Protein backbone atom coordinates (compact mmCIF):
# COMPACT_ATOMS: atom_id res chain seq x y z
CA UNK A 1 0.00 0.00 0.00
CA UNK A 2 0.97 3.61 -0.52
CA UNK A 3 2.49 5.25 2.54
CA UNK A 4 0.64 7.99 4.39
CA UNK A 5 1.81 11.32 2.86
CA UNK A 6 3.36 12.49 6.13
CA UNK A 7 5.66 9.49 6.63
CA UNK A 8 6.31 9.35 2.88
CA UNK A 9 7.22 13.03 2.70
CA UNK A 10 9.59 12.82 5.69
CA UNK A 11 11.31 9.73 4.21
CA UNK A 12 11.63 11.44 0.83
CA UNK A 13 13.14 14.55 2.45
CA UNK A 14 15.58 12.40 4.45
CA UNK A 15 16.82 10.60 1.32
CA UNK A 16 17.41 13.93 -0.46
CA UNK A 17 19.16 15.29 2.63
CA UNK A 18 21.38 12.23 3.15
CA UNK A 19 22.42 12.24 -0.53
CA UNK A 20 23.28 15.96 -0.23
CA UNK A 21 25.13 15.50 3.07
CA UNK A 22 27.18 12.49 1.99
CA UNK A 23 27.75 13.13 -1.73
CA UNK A 24 25.74 15.67 -3.76
CA UNK A 25 22.15 16.64 -4.70
CA UNK A 26 20.08 13.90 -6.38
CA UNK A 27 19.55 14.08 -10.15
CA UNK A 28 18.49 11.49 -12.70
CA UNK A 29 18.10 12.75 -16.26
CA UNK A 30 21.82 13.37 -17.02
CA UNK A 31 22.29 9.60 -16.79
CA UNK A 32 20.17 9.15 -19.93
CA UNK A 33 22.90 11.08 -21.79
CA UNK A 34 25.60 8.99 -20.11
CA UNK A 35 23.77 5.79 -21.14
CA UNK A 36 23.48 7.14 -24.71
CA UNK A 37 27.18 7.97 -24.70
CA UNK A 38 28.16 4.52 -23.41
CA UNK A 39 26.11 2.79 -26.15
CA UNK A 40 27.28 5.22 -28.85
CA UNK A 41 30.91 4.78 -27.77
CA UNK A 42 30.53 0.99 -28.01
CA UNK A 43 29.32 1.35 -31.61
CA UNK A 44 31.88 4.02 -32.43
CA UNK A 45 34.87 3.94 -30.02
CA UNK A 46 36.25 7.23 -31.42
CA UNK A 47 33.32 9.13 -29.81
CA UNK A 48 35.09 9.49 -26.47
CA UNK A 49 38.89 9.52 -26.51
CA UNK A 50 41.19 9.48 -23.49
CA UNK A 51 44.22 11.74 -23.77
CA UNK A 52 47.77 11.05 -22.56
CA UNK A 53 46.96 12.84 -19.28
CA UNK A 54 44.00 10.48 -18.69
CA UNK A 55 41.35 13.12 -19.44
CA UNK A 56 38.41 11.91 -21.52
CA UNK A 57 36.99 14.19 -24.20
CA UNK A 58 34.73 14.11 -27.25
CA UNK A 59 34.25 16.14 -30.45
CA UNK A 60 30.48 16.16 -29.75
CA UNK A 61 29.98 19.12 -27.38
CA UNK A 62 27.26 17.65 -25.17
CA UNK A 63 28.99 14.27 -24.96
CA UNK A 64 32.22 16.10 -24.07
CA UNK A 65 30.49 17.66 -21.04
CA UNK A 66 29.91 14.13 -19.71
CA UNK A 67 32.98 12.46 -21.25
CA UNK A 68 34.64 11.33 -18.01
CA UNK A 69 31.38 9.68 -16.83
CA UNK A 70 30.92 7.94 -20.18
CA UNK A 71 34.53 6.71 -20.20
CA UNK A 72 33.93 5.27 -16.72
CA UNK A 73 30.26 4.31 -16.26
CA UNK A 74 31.01 2.76 -12.85
CA UNK A 75 30.68 6.18 -11.21
CA UNK A 76 28.42 7.39 -8.39
CA UNK A 77 25.72 9.03 -10.53
CA UNK A 78 25.24 6.18 -13.01
CA UNK A 79 25.23 3.42 -10.37
CA UNK A 80 22.81 5.46 -8.26
CA UNK A 81 20.24 5.50 -11.09
CA UNK A 82 20.75 1.84 -12.01
CA UNK A 83 20.28 0.76 -8.40
CA UNK A 84 17.02 2.77 -8.18
CA UNK A 85 15.56 0.01 -10.39
CA UNK A 86 16.47 -2.61 -7.78
CA UNK A 87 15.21 -0.51 -4.87
CA UNK A 88 11.84 -0.02 -6.56
CA UNK A 89 11.68 -3.70 -7.56
CA UNK A 90 12.32 -4.84 -3.97
CA UNK A 91 9.74 -2.39 -2.63
CA UNK A 92 7.12 -3.53 -5.17
CA UNK A 93 7.73 -7.20 -4.38
CA UNK A 94 7.56 -6.49 -0.65
CA UNK A 95 4.05 -5.06 -1.07
CA UNK A 96 2.92 -8.08 -3.10
CA UNK A 97 3.84 -7.08 -6.66
CA UNK A 98 1.59 -5.69 -9.41
CA UNK A 99 -1.24 -7.52 -11.15
CA UNK A 100 -0.73 -8.71 -14.72
CA UNK A 101 -3.22 -6.06 -15.98
CA UNK A 102 -1.50 -3.25 -14.11
CA UNK A 103 1.89 -4.26 -15.53
CA UNK A 104 0.43 -4.10 -19.06
CA UNK A 105 -1.60 -0.87 -18.78
CA UNK A 106 -2.02 1.39 -15.69
CA UNK A 107 -5.63 1.45 -14.38
CA UNK A 108 -6.33 5.17 -14.92
CA UNK A 109 -5.06 5.03 -18.49
CA UNK A 110 -7.23 1.94 -19.14
CA UNK A 111 -10.34 3.67 -17.74
CA UNK A 112 -9.85 6.60 -20.12
CA UNK A 113 -8.09 5.23 -23.19
CA UNK A 114 -8.62 1.48 -23.24
CA UNK A 115 -6.41 -1.46 -22.39
CA UNK A 116 -4.45 -1.79 -25.63
CA UNK A 117 -0.93 -2.48 -24.33
CA UNK A 118 0.77 -1.63 -27.64
CA UNK A 119 -0.94 1.76 -27.82
CA UNK A 120 0.04 2.49 -24.21
CA UNK A 121 3.64 1.39 -24.89
CA UNK A 122 3.92 3.72 -27.91
CA UNK A 123 2.39 6.65 -26.01
CA UNK A 124 4.88 6.04 -23.16
CA UNK A 125 7.72 5.88 -25.72
CA UNK A 126 6.73 9.24 -27.27
CA UNK A 127 6.30 10.77 -23.78
CA UNK A 128 9.75 9.58 -22.74
CA UNK A 129 11.21 11.24 -25.83
CA UNK A 130 9.55 14.62 -25.08
CA UNK A 131 10.31 14.45 -21.36
CA UNK A 132 14.01 13.67 -21.71
CA UNK A 133 14.47 16.23 -24.49
CA UNK A 134 12.80 18.77 -22.20
CA UNK A 135 14.74 17.66 -19.14
CA UNK A 136 18.05 18.09 -20.95
CA UNK A 137 16.98 21.50 -22.30
CA UNK A 138 16.15 22.45 -18.70
CA UNK A 139 19.36 20.80 -17.42
CA UNK A 140 17.40 18.67 -14.96
CA UNK A 141 14.15 16.82 -14.33
CA UNK A 142 11.73 16.49 -11.46
CA UNK A 143 14.52 15.20 -9.19
CA UNK A 144 17.32 17.61 -10.09
CA UNK A 145 15.38 20.78 -10.85
CA UNK A 146 12.16 20.49 -8.89
CA UNK A 147 13.20 18.71 -5.68
CA UNK A 148 16.96 19.28 -5.40
CA UNK A 149 16.63 22.70 -7.10
CA UNK A 150 13.82 24.21 -5.03
CA UNK A 151 15.23 22.50 -1.92
CA UNK A 152 18.41 24.55 -2.43
CA UNK A 153 16.33 27.67 -3.28
CA UNK A 154 17.76 27.71 -6.83
CA UNK A 155 15.99 30.25 -9.07
CA UNK A 156 16.11 27.67 -11.90
CA UNK A 157 14.14 25.20 -9.75
CA UNK A 158 11.18 27.58 -9.39
CA UNK A 159 11.20 28.50 -13.10
CA UNK A 160 11.28 24.81 -14.06
CA UNK A 161 8.45 23.91 -11.68
CA UNK A 162 6.29 26.75 -13.01
CA UNK A 163 6.77 25.58 -16.60
CA UNK A 164 6.23 21.91 -15.78
CA UNK A 165 2.97 22.37 -13.84
CA UNK A 166 1.62 25.02 -16.25
CA UNK A 167 1.78 22.34 -18.96
CA UNK A 168 1.09 19.21 -16.92
CA UNK A 169 -2.07 20.24 -15.03
CA UNK A 170 -4.26 21.20 -18.05
CA UNK A 171 -2.93 18.20 -19.99
CA UNK A 172 -3.84 15.76 -17.20
CA UNK A 173 -7.27 17.34 -16.64
CA UNK A 174 -8.05 17.07 -20.36
CA UNK A 175 -6.76 13.51 -20.78
CA UNK A 176 -8.14 11.80 -17.66
CA UNK A 177 -11.74 12.85 -16.94
CA UNK A 178 -12.76 9.30 -16.00
CA UNK A 179 -11.60 7.07 -13.20
CA UNK A 180 -12.11 3.60 -11.82
CA UNK A 181 -13.61 4.81 -8.54
CA UNK A 182 -15.39 8.01 -7.41
CA UNK A 183 -13.17 8.16 -4.33
CA UNK A 184 -9.94 9.04 -6.05
CA UNK B 1 33.19 4.23 -0.96
CA UNK B 2 31.31 6.42 -3.46
CA UNK B 3 29.99 3.29 -5.16
CA UNK B 4 28.78 1.87 -1.85
CA UNK B 5 26.95 5.13 -1.16
CA UNK B 6 25.48 5.07 -4.68
CA UNK B 7 24.08 1.60 -4.01
CA UNK B 8 22.62 2.46 -0.59
CA UNK B 9 21.21 5.86 -1.55
CA UNK B 10 19.98 4.77 -5.00
CA UNK B 11 18.15 1.77 -3.53
CA UNK B 12 16.63 3.95 -0.79
CA UNK B 13 15.48 6.55 -3.33
CA UNK B 14 13.95 3.89 -5.59
CA UNK B 15 12.14 2.26 -2.66
CA UNK B 16 10.82 5.56 -1.29
CA UNK B 17 9.56 6.69 -4.73
CA UNK B 18 7.70 3.39 -4.95
CA UNK B 19 6.28 3.65 -1.42
CA UNK B 20 4.88 7.16 -1.88
CA UNK B 21 3.08 5.96 -5.03
CA UNK B 22 5.26 7.91 -7.49
CA UNK B 23 5.96 4.82 -9.61
CA UNK B 24 2.22 4.44 -10.31
CA UNK B 25 1.11 6.57 -13.31
CA UNK B 26 -2.51 6.54 -12.10
CA UNK B 27 -1.53 8.20 -8.81
CA UNK B 28 0.70 10.71 -10.66
CA UNK B 29 -2.06 11.63 -13.12
CA UNK B 30 -4.71 11.97 -10.40
CA UNK B 31 -2.34 14.42 -8.72
CA UNK B 32 -1.75 16.41 -11.93
CA UNK B 33 -5.52 16.44 -12.60
CA UNK B 34 -5.82 17.93 -9.05
CA UNK B 35 -8.14 15.12 -7.93
CA UNK B 36 -5.88 13.52 -5.34
CA UNK B 37 -3.10 15.69 -3.94
CA UNK B 38 -1.69 13.33 -1.31
CA UNK B 39 1.40 12.70 -3.47
CA UNK B 40 1.85 16.46 -3.94
CA UNK B 41 1.65 16.89 -0.17
CA UNK B 42 4.34 14.22 0.30
CA UNK B 43 6.60 15.87 -2.31
CA UNK B 44 6.21 19.33 -0.76
CA UNK B 45 6.86 17.95 2.72
CA UNK B 46 9.93 16.20 1.27
CA UNK B 47 11.31 19.41 -0.25
CA UNK B 48 10.64 21.25 3.01
CA UNK B 49 12.35 18.64 5.21
CA UNK B 50 15.33 18.51 2.81
CA UNK B 51 15.65 22.31 2.77
CA UNK B 52 15.38 22.79 6.54
CA UNK B 53 17.88 20.01 7.37
CA UNK B 54 20.33 21.15 4.69
CA UNK B 55 20.39 24.84 5.54
CA UNK B 56 20.23 24.32 9.32
CA UNK B 57 23.09 21.83 8.94
CA UNK B 58 25.09 24.36 6.95
CA UNK B 59 24.56 27.05 9.60
CA UNK B 60 25.75 24.63 12.29
CA UNK B 61 28.77 23.71 10.17
CA UNK B 62 27.66 20.07 9.91
CA UNK B 63 26.81 20.12 6.20
CA UNK B 64 29.36 21.04 3.51
CA UNK B 65 28.18 24.15 1.63
CA UNK B 66 30.42 22.99 -1.23
CA UNK B 67 27.93 20.19 -1.93
CA UNK B 68 25.46 22.74 -3.28
CA UNK B 69 24.87 22.39 -7.00
CA UNK B 70 22.76 25.13 -8.55
CA UNK B 71 21.70 25.00 -12.19
CA UNK B 72 21.54 28.07 -14.42
CA UNK B 73 18.28 29.97 -14.81
CA UNK B 74 17.56 30.55 -18.52
CA UNK B 75 14.78 30.34 -21.11
CA UNK B 76 15.64 26.68 -21.73
CA UNK B 77 14.70 25.82 -18.14
CA UNK B 78 11.16 27.13 -18.68
CA UNK B 79 10.74 25.66 -22.19
CA UNK B 80 12.21 22.35 -21.07
CA UNK B 81 9.89 22.37 -18.07
CA UNK B 82 6.88 22.84 -20.38
CA UNK B 83 7.97 19.95 -22.64
CA UNK B 84 8.62 17.74 -19.64
CA UNK B 85 5.24 18.71 -18.18
CA UNK B 86 3.37 17.59 -21.30
CA UNK B 87 5.07 14.18 -21.46
CA UNK B 88 4.78 13.80 -17.68
CA UNK B 89 1.00 14.30 -17.79
CA UNK B 90 0.45 12.09 -20.84
CA UNK B 91 2.45 9.14 -19.46
CA UNK B 92 2.34 9.66 -15.71
CA UNK B 93 6.11 9.20 -15.56
CA UNK B 94 9.07 11.49 -14.96
CA UNK B 95 12.57 10.15 -15.69
CA UNK B 96 13.29 8.87 -12.16
CA UNK B 97 9.90 7.30 -11.57
CA UNK B 98 9.95 5.59 -14.99
CA UNK B 99 13.30 3.98 -14.18
CA UNK B 100 11.74 2.76 -10.91
CA UNK B 101 8.59 1.59 -12.72
CA UNK B 102 10.76 -0.64 -14.90
CA UNK B 103 11.86 -2.30 -11.65
CA UNK B 104 8.22 -2.55 -10.55
CA UNK B 105 7.53 -4.61 -13.69
CA UNK B 106 5.58 -2.05 -15.72
CA UNK B 107 5.95 -2.76 -19.44
CA UNK B 108 5.05 0.74 -20.64
CA UNK B 109 7.91 2.13 -18.53
CA UNK B 110 10.34 0.19 -20.71
CA UNK B 111 8.93 2.04 -23.73
CA UNK B 112 9.30 5.33 -21.85
CA UNK B 113 12.96 4.68 -21.01
CA UNK B 114 13.76 3.81 -24.64
CA UNK B 115 11.95 6.95 -25.78
CA UNK B 116 13.90 8.88 -23.16
CA UNK B 117 17.24 7.57 -24.39
CA UNK B 118 16.29 8.71 -27.89
CA UNK B 119 15.05 12.11 -26.63
CA UNK B 120 18.30 12.70 -24.74
CA UNK B 121 20.22 11.72 -27.89
CA UNK B 122 18.15 14.15 -29.97
CA UNK B 123 19.03 16.94 -27.53
CA UNK B 124 22.70 15.95 -27.68
CA UNK B 125 22.59 16.37 -31.47
CA UNK B 126 20.93 19.82 -31.38
CA UNK B 127 22.84 21.12 -28.32
CA UNK B 128 25.13 23.42 -30.34
CA UNK B 129 22.13 24.91 -32.18
CA UNK B 130 20.22 25.41 -28.89
CA UNK B 131 23.25 27.20 -27.43
CA UNK B 132 23.58 29.38 -30.56
CA UNK B 133 19.91 30.39 -30.24
CA UNK B 134 20.72 31.85 -26.82
CA UNK B 135 18.24 29.61 -24.99
CA UNK B 136 20.89 28.70 -22.44
CA UNK B 137 22.08 32.28 -21.77
CA UNK B 138 21.67 32.95 -18.05
CA UNK B 139 18.91 35.28 -16.84
CA UNK B 140 18.82 37.11 -13.49
CA UNK B 141 22.41 36.05 -12.83
CA UNK B 142 22.11 32.47 -14.10
CA UNK B 143 23.30 30.15 -11.34
CA UNK B 144 21.69 31.91 -8.40
CA UNK B 145 19.79 31.06 -5.24
CA UNK B 146 17.10 33.27 -3.66
CA UNK B 147 19.67 34.80 -1.33
CA UNK B 148 23.47 34.43 -1.31
CA UNK B 149 24.38 31.42 0.85
CA UNK B 150 27.47 32.14 3.01
CA UNK B 151 30.43 30.12 1.74
CA UNK B 152 28.79 29.11 -1.54
CA UNK B 153 29.96 30.12 -5.00
CA UNK B 154 26.46 31.23 -6.10
CA UNK B 155 25.00 34.73 -6.09
CA UNK B 156 21.58 35.65 -4.73
CA UNK B 157 18.49 37.25 -6.25
CA UNK B 158 17.69 39.07 -3.00
CA UNK B 159 20.13 40.63 -0.59
CA UNK B 160 19.05 38.42 2.31
CA UNK B 161 21.12 35.59 3.82
CA UNK B 162 20.47 32.54 1.65
CA UNK B 163 20.62 29.94 4.41
CA UNK B 164 18.07 31.83 6.54
CA UNK B 165 15.85 32.18 3.45
CA UNK B 166 16.32 28.47 2.77
CA UNK B 167 14.98 27.54 6.20
CA UNK B 168 12.06 29.96 5.75
CA UNK B 169 11.27 28.47 2.32
CA UNK B 170 11.51 24.99 3.82
CA UNK B 171 9.01 25.93 6.54
CA UNK B 172 6.70 27.38 3.88
CA UNK B 173 6.84 24.11 1.91
CA UNK B 174 5.98 22.14 5.06
CA UNK B 175 3.12 24.52 5.89
CA UNK B 176 1.69 24.34 2.36
CA UNK B 177 1.93 20.53 2.47
CA UNK B 178 -0.31 20.56 5.57
CA UNK B 179 -2.71 23.27 4.37
CA UNK B 180 -3.22 21.92 0.84
CA UNK B 181 -6.51 19.99 0.63
CA UNK B 182 -6.45 16.39 -0.57
CA UNK B 183 -8.53 17.37 -3.60
CA UNK B 184 -8.94 20.65 -5.52
CA UNK B 185 -11.32 19.43 -8.21
CA UNK B 186 -14.57 17.43 -7.96
CA UNK B 187 -14.70 13.65 -7.94
CA UNK B 188 -14.24 12.05 -11.37
CA UNK B 189 -16.75 10.51 -13.70
CA UNK B 190 -16.70 6.79 -12.97
CA UNK B 191 -15.97 5.05 -16.23
CA UNK B 192 -17.06 1.60 -17.14
CA UNK B 193 -13.77 -0.21 -16.67
CA UNK B 194 -12.51 -0.58 -20.22
CA UNK B 195 -10.41 -3.55 -19.16
CA UNK B 196 -11.44 -6.98 -20.30
Amino acid sequence: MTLDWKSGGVLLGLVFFLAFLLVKPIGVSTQFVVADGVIWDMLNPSLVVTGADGTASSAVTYIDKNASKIANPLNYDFIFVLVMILGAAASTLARGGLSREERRVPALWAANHGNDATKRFLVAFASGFIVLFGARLADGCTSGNMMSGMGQTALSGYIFTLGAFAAAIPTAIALFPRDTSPNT
Amino acid sequence: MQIVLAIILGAAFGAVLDRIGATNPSILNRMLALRDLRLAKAIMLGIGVFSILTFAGQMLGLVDVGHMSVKAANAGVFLGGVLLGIGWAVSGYCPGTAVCAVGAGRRDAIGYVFGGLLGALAFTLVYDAVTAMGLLDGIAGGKVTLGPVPGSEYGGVLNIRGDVLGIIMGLIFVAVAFVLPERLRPAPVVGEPVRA
Side-chain angles (χ1 to χ4, degrees):
Chain A
M1 262 321 286
T2 307
L3 269 182
D4 160 53
W5 70 266
K6 286 178 201 150
S7 351
V10 170
L11 280 176
L12 189 65
L14 284 177
V15 171
F16 270 85
F17 171 68
L18 285 176
F20 185 100
L21 172 73
L22 298 170
V23 192
K24 51 150 74 173
I26 289 178
V28 173
S29 66
T30 309
Q31 303 319 309
F32 280 75
V33 178
V34 173
D36 280 338
V38 169
I39 297 166
W40 189 353
D41 194 52
M42 274 180 201
L43 301 173
N44 176 12
S46 62
L47 177 71
V48 176
V49 289
T50 305
D53 59 348
T55 314
S57 65
S58 172
V60 181
T61 323
Y62 205 58
I63 294 289
D64 187 58
K65 284 169 79 84
N66 298 291
S68 67
K69 300 288 171 71
I70 293 167
N72 170 31
L74 290 179
N75 61 67
Y76 172 82
D77 307 77
F78 200 59
I79 300 289
F80 179 96
V81 171
L82 287 181
V83 174
M84 283 170 67
I85 303 176
L86 302 178
S91 166
T92 307
L93 287 177
R95 61 187 169 89
L98 302 178
S99 70
R100 191 170 166 275
E101 292 77 24
E102 186 63 23
R103 275 185 278 132
R104 286 178 74 245
V105 182
L108 183 70
W109 178 271
N112 286 276
H113 305 288
N115 60 356
D116 182 339
T118 309
K119 177 180 160 190
R120 170 66 191 175
F121 187 92
L122 292 175
V123 167
F125 180 89
S127 299
F129 185 97
I130 299 170
V131 167
L132 264 300
F133 188 94
R136 288 296 82 221
L137 178 58
D139 196 24
C141 59
T142 334
S143 307
N145 256 327
M146 196 178 289
M147 295 215 45
S148 294
M150 288 202 297
Q152 295 177 88
T153 74
L155 179 62
S156 49
Y158 302 103
I159 296 174
F160 172 85
T161 304
L162 194 70
F165 280 107
I169 291 174
T171 307
I173 289 174
L175 280 180
F176 302 102
R178 292 179 168 274
D179 212 319
T180 50
S181 145
N183 298 319
T184 51
Chain B
M1 189 55 201
Q2 288 257 310
I3 299 299
V4 175
L5 286 173
I7 292 170
I8 296 169
L9 293 167
F13 188 42
V16 170
L17 282 179
D18 183 65
R19 277 308 155 107
I20 61 174
T23 60
N24 184 341
S26 303
I27 293 178
L28 232 317
N29 282 131
R30 287 181 190 123
M31 172 185 84
L32 293 176
L34 310 180
R35 289 210 298 269
D36 185 347
L37 298 178
R38 284 174 296 180
L39 177 59
K41 287 158 83 77
I43 293 171
M44 284 196 272
L45 181 58
I47 295 175
V49 166
F50 166 49
S51 224
I52 294 167
L53 290 177
T54 299
F55 286 111
Q58 288 183 2
M59 289 172 88
L60 294 170
L62 302 172
V63 174
D64 186 354
V65 181
H67 284 191
M68 285 187 73
S69 172
V70 171
K71 297 163 191 293
N74 54 46
V77 171
F78 186 78
L79 280 177
V82 168
L83 287 176
L84 178 141
I86 294 169
W88 188 23
V90 172
S91 63
Y93 291 126
C94 46
T97 64
V99 165
C100 291
V102 169
R106 294 182 181 275
R107 272 176 45 189
D108 55 339
I110 299 172
Y112 182 101
V113 169
F114 276 112
L117 289 170
L118 219 58
L121 180 65
F123 182 76
T124 300
L125 298 178
V126 299
Y127 177 73
D128 289 331
V130 168
T131 310
M133 284 163 73
L135 286 175
L136 306 181
D137 296 348
I139 50 172
K143 294 187 176 187
V144 290
T145 47
L146 287 186
V149 178
S152 90
E153 57 185 288
Y154 308 107
V157 180
L158 306 168
N159 196 16
I160 304 172
R161 265 186 74 145
D163 45 6
V164 175
L165 261 184
I167 293 177
I168 294 172
M169 289 305 294
L171 291 171
I172 291 175
F173 270 108
V174 172
V176 174
F178 276 89
V179 170
L180 192 71
E182 292 195 353
R183 167 185 293 174
L184 282 173
R185 293 183 64 248
V189 178
V190 178
E192 279 298 305
V194 189
R195 265 202 226 298

